[in-house]
């Protein structure tokens, strides 16, 4: 009897040991497979990051320079409008001090007019923004917030410029009245659903909401306003891609000027911008006033400031030859 009991104990111990060994091996195998899967996933992520960086470098090599040059041209045209408007012979003002004597007067009646060039610089900039939009996956890498070039701020600045171009003066004033803690114009939020519904209901009944600061709409017209749809259309018109080219280009100033003269359908897209630019150039000039309260020069001042911010981002080392001439007209 004792011998049979010992045999059963030995058998039970053997089975238990085998079970534990099998479980241990199974657990070890599962842990190894999990580790192998994690390593494979990390390897895939690294490959994806390398691919993303390659796309980023490719689009950067093609378009960072042209985009930088286009925004430099735009900023210089805006600065010229700010500092030269009101001294056109038809405007009745002449330079009186040495600081303004070096500026070329606004000359909208000349063949190569300042007004036409201002429109061209805006259209050229919108053209390169449209190019980036069309670049597909490379556009996502170029504007992705986690890439090493800080281009998450680029998308913020681009949206800020689009917002300033399309917003009414009352919307710009409402954004300004949010105070010092207001978001950058390129990263605004719509607010909660309740706030949006409350504001829509209040607007329908002609009353003001208490949640957002309100002010009577400015009396000045919405000068140089351009809707998002018109921005996209102008950008599309400006793209020029020769057959066999490795990148997109935009229309030259000579071709733009000729098309403005010869193509009434093309010129119709710029009709309001052209009228506003002509009125700004011939009317009372900028006298150093701040952009807010919203008025005649609000949009131009904000665009000039955002343009310099974009230049700072695209070329933080300030390698361009014209940068020493660039100053912000205002800070807000």
């Amino acid at each position: 009897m004792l011998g049979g009991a010992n045999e059963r104990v030995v058998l039970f111990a053997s089975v238990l040991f085998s079970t534990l060994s099998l479980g241990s091996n199974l657990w070890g195998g599962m842990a190894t497979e999990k580790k192998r899967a994690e390593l494979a996933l990390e390897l895939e992520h690294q490959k994806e990051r390398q691919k993303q960086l390659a796309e980023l470098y490719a689009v950067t090599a093609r378009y960072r320079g042209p985009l930088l040059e286009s925004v430099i041209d735009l900023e210089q045209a805006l600065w010229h409008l700010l500092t030269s408007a009101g001294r056109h012979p038809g405007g009745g003002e002449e330079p009186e001090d040495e600081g303004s004597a070096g500026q070329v007067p606004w000359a909208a009646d000349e063949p190569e007019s300042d007004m036409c060039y201002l429109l061209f610089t805006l259209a050229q900039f919108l053209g390169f923004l449209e190019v980036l939009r069309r670049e597909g996956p490379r556009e996502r890498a170029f504007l992705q917030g986690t890439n090493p070039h800080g281009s998450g701020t680029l998308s913020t600045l681009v949206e800020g410029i689009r917002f300033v171009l399309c917003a009414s003066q009352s919307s710009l004033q409402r954004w300004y009245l949010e105070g010092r803690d207001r978001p950058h114009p390129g990263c605004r939020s719509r607010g909660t659903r309740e706030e949006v519904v409350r504001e829509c209901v209040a607007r329908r009944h002609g009353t003001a909401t208490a949640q957002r600061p309100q002010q009577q709409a400015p009396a000045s017209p919405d000068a140089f306003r351009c809707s998002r749809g018109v921005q996209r259309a102008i950008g599309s018109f400006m793209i020029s891609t020769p057959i066999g080219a490795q990148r997109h280009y935009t229309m030259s100033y000579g071709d733009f000027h000729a098309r403005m003269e010869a193509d009434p359908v093309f010129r119709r897209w710029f009709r309001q911008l052209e009228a506003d630019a002509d009125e700004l150039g011939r009317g009372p000039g900028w006298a150093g006033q701040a952009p807010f309260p919203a008025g005649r020069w609000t949009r131009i001042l904000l665009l000039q400031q955002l343009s310099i911010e974009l230049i700072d981002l695209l070329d933080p080392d300030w390698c361009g030859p014209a940068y020493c001439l660039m100053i912000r007209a205002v800070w807000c």
Side-chain angles (χ1 to χ4, degrees):
M1 292 293 294
L2 185 58
N6 290 335
E7 292 179 358
R8 286 194 294 271
V9 170
V10 172
L11 179 62
F12 177 76
S14 300
V15 171
L16 179 61
F17 178 77
S18 299
T19 303
L20 291 176
S21 298
L22 181 61
S24 176
N25 292 335
L26 181 61
W27 178 261
M30 292 176 59
T32 301
E33 288 299 322
K34 181 180 179 182
K35 186 64 175 179
R36 185 180 293 117
E38 291 175 350
L39 291 175
L41 183 61
E42 179 63 24
L43 180 61
E44 288 298 321
H45 287 167
Q46 290 180 2
K47 290 181 178 179
E48 185 64 28
R49 283 194 291 269
Q50 291 297 325
K51 181 180 178 181
Q52 197 175 83
L53 286 174
E55 292 176 347
L56 171 64
Y57 295 146
V59 74
T60 297
R62 282 197 301 274
Y63 297 119
R64 185 177 292 272
L67 183 61
L68 174 62
E69 292 296 329
S70 69
V71 73
I72 289 174
D73 290 343
L74 176 60
E75 191 280 332
Q76 290 176 339
L78 293 170
W79 178 258
H80 183 60
L81 174 60
L82 284 167
T83 57
S84 301
R87 295 201 298 278
H88 186 275
E93 295 186 27
E94 296 293 335
E96 297 180 354
D97 59 338
E98 295 180 359
S100 61
Q103 295 287 345
V104 179
W106 183 259
D109 58 347
E110 296 180 1
E112 295 184 1
S113 65
D114 294 334
M115 177 180 64
C116 186
Y117 185 70
L118 172 61
L119 298 179
F120 166 74
T121 59
L122 176 63
Q124 177 184 239
F125 175 71
L126 294 176
F128 279 114
L129 292 188
E130 187 65 22
V131 166
L132 293 178
R133 180 187 289 271
R134 295 185 180 188
E135 279 295 284
R138 291 183 294 274
E139 184 262 352
R140 291 199 300 273
F142 192 43
L143 300 180
Q144 185 170 345
T146 57
N147 73 56
H149 289 273
S151 298
T153 309
L154 174 62
S155 60
T156 297
L157 288 173
V158 168
E159 169 57 26
I161 292 173
R162 290 195 181 278
F163 167 71
V164 169
L165 274 172
C166 74
S168 65
Q169 284 197 349
S170 58
S171 296
L172 293 174
Q173 182 73 18
R174 187 163 56 248
W175 165 77
Y176 174 73
L177 289 176
E178 292 181 12
R180 291 186 176 274
D181 294 332
R182 60 183 175 273
H184 188 278
C187 54
R188 309 168 324 282
S189 64
R190 293 182 175 180
T192 64
R193 180 181 182 277
E194 290 73 16
E195 290 175 345
V196 173
V197 171
R198 190 181 301 112
E199 185 171 344
C200 290
V201 172
R203 188 182 302 115
R204 183 182 305 170
H205 292 84
T207 59
T209 60
Q211 284 68 28
R212 295 189 179 183
Q214 299 288 329
Q215 179 167 312
Q216 184 177 359
S220 302
D222 283 330
F224 218 65
R225 185 182 181 187
C226 181
S227 70
R228 291 179 182 269
V230 173
Q231 293 176 41
R232 292 289 310 279
I234 291 175
S236 299
F237 282 130
M238 292 297 293
I239 296 176
S240 173
T241 308
I243 297 176
Q246 297 299 314
R247 48 156 288 190
H248 296 287
Y249 295 85
T250 58
M251 191 185 305
S252 69
Y253 176 57
D255 292 339
F256 178 85
H257 192 284
R259 191 168 181 183
M260 287 285 284
E261 293 292 329
D263 189 345
V265 176
F266 177 73
R267 188 166 189 165
R268 190 179 304 148
W269 288 96
F270 297 88
R271 181 170 52 193
Q272 188 59 53
L273 289 171
E274 186 177 11
D276 291 344
D278 185 58
E279 197 279 330
L280 286 170
R282 292 175 180 270
W286 177 63
Q289 61 267 38
F292 296 101
R296 175 183 180 83
W297 295 102
T298 295
R299 200 180 314 275
I300 303 300
L301 291 169
L302 293 178
L303 287 174
Q304 192 263 350
Q305 178 171 335
L306 289 171
S307 297
I308 292 186
E309 290 182 16
L310 185 51
I311 292 169
D312 290 341
L313 175 71
L314 293 175
D315 194 356
D317 296 327
W318 282 52
C319 298
Y323 291 167
C324 60
L325 304 177
M326 291 186 177
I327 60 173
R328 286 177 173 82
V330 293
W331 282 265
C332 66

